Amino acid sequence: MNIVRQNEPAKETSLLRDWDPFRSMRELLRWDPFREMAPLSMGFVPSVDVKETANEYIFKADVPGMKEQDIEISLTGNRMSIAGKREEEKKTEKDTYYAMERHYGSFRRTFTLPEGVDVEAVKAEMAHGVLTVTVPKKAIAEAKRVTVTTTPEPKGETKH
């Protein structure tokens, strides 16, 4: 990415006399139609991978720059919510920013869990900016086959 100063004042020029097609093309390529919409952006929403294994569901959320105390995980019925807040860095008037692409703010992601999960055994851990939430499945009651045996009739008795 090229570093381009965003807030430089435009120079006064005569359109016909100073027209440069290459400069016009460069300016057009730098134009960002969504720049004015920046205040309406959604803020920070972490990406989450959800994986099912034979014994559990694993949720992995990218939360770089966050600490454990910045994240809250809650379970209500079959709904699991992961919420948190990533604070913006302090800015000073002496700093010059050439790009600001990182997102900050509060977020909440809610997932509906399938039947048969053990919500009492949910675990969460954080390592290298990745939150991993493990939701174990309940042990499935396996059907047990019962064999039928025949008991011999006592001697001397007859059937009716």
Side-chain angles (χ1 to χ4, degrees), residues 92-120:
T92 67
E93 292 188 22
K94 295 178 183 177
D95 296 334
T96 302
Y97 286 87
Y98 293 101
M100 293 186 65
E101 298 179 347
R102 297 171 56 206
H103 297 282
Y104 301 93
S106 298
F107 72 89
R108 177 174 296 278
R109 299 286 310 265
T110 302
F111 302 91
T112 301
L113 300 173
E115 295 294 321
V117 297
D118 187 359
V119 295
E120 300 300 321

Side-chain angles (χ1 to χ4, degrees), residues 52-57 114-118 121 135-140:
E52 179 181 8
T53 67
N55 301 320
E56 59 200 6
Y57 295 93
E115 295 294 321
V117 297
D118 187 359
V135 182
K137 296 178 181 178
K138 288 182 181 175
I140 299 173

Side-chain angles (χ1 to χ4, degrees), residues 63-82:
V63 289
M66 295 184 71
K67 299 179 180 91
E68 293 84 4
Q69 61 266 25
D70 298 333
I71 297 172
E72 176 186 313
I73 301 168
S74 60
L75 295 153
T76 306
N78 67 337
R79 312 254 307 162
M80 179 179 71
S81 290
I82 301 171

Side-chain angles (χ1 to χ4, degrees), residues 2 7 9 15-16 18 26 30 35 38 50 52 74 77-78 83 86-88 90 93-94 98 107 110 134 137:
N2 294 332
N7 294 328
L15 186 59
L16 294 176
D18 296 327
R26 285 191 305 270
R30 281 195 312 226
R35 183 180 309 138
V50 182
E52 179 181 8
S74 60
N78 67 337
R86 187 160 74 179
E87 297 288 336
E88 188 171 1
K90 302 280 188 236
E93 292 188 22
K94 295 178 183 177
Y98 293 101
F107 72 89
T110 302
T134 306
K137 296 178 181 178

